[in-house]
Amino acid sequence: MSNECKKCLLYEAGEKVTSGEIEAYINTLPQDIKADNDTFLNRISFCKRCDYLISGMCRKCGCYVEVRARIKSNNCPDVNNRKW
Ligand code: SF4
């Protein structure tokens, strides 16, 4: 069974979530768990070129990539080809 997110539920589709809401959520995270800006931008640059990115979400894990990439301890969920 594949671990790709099929986006089969509305809340998973993310169409109602705005970038402002994502940013507001990121702002609630403790500073010490956040990746620094250079790390974040480097991670996002890989996501922007990745076929799994759709509407700000990663189809491998169902996360919003701007949230996933902002958390220091996270990594790319594509276990067979991690980009970051
Ligand atoms: S987290 Fe990894 S698999 Fe997901 S969109 Fe970014 S680069 Fe692609």
Side-chain angles (χ1 to χ4, degrees):
M1 183 173 174
S2 168
N3 65 351
E4 275 187 36
C5 173
K6 295 188 293 184
K7 295 177 65 175
C8 46
L9 301 177
L10 284 177
Y11 81 89
E12 293 170 333
E15 302 300 332
K16 300 272 188 241
V17 176
T18 65
S19 62
E21 288 169 318
I22 295 287
E23 190 66 32
Y25 173 72
I26 289 169
N27 287 338
T28 69
L29 298 174
Q31 201 60 36
D32 63 329
I33 73 163
K34 291 184 192 175
D36 63 66
N37 216 38
D38 286 347
T39 300
F40 171 75
L41 292 173
N42 183 53
R43 290 173 170 182
I44 289 298
S45 73
F46 284 102
C47 294
K48 286 172 75 174
R49 289 176 274 138
C50 179
D51 290 341
Y52 289 114
L53 180 67
I54 182 165
S55 300
M57 294 180 74
C58 171
R59 287 187 297 122
K60 271 289 175 184
C61 62
C63 291
Y64 292 106
V65 297
E66 286 152 289
V67 174
R68 188 176 184 95
R70 187 52 90 174
I71 298 173
K72 198 181 337 186
S73 62
N74 281 347
N75 54 26
C76 170
D78 187 358
V79 293
N80 295 320
N81 184 25
R82 286 197 203 284
K83 286 90 174 177
W84 52 267

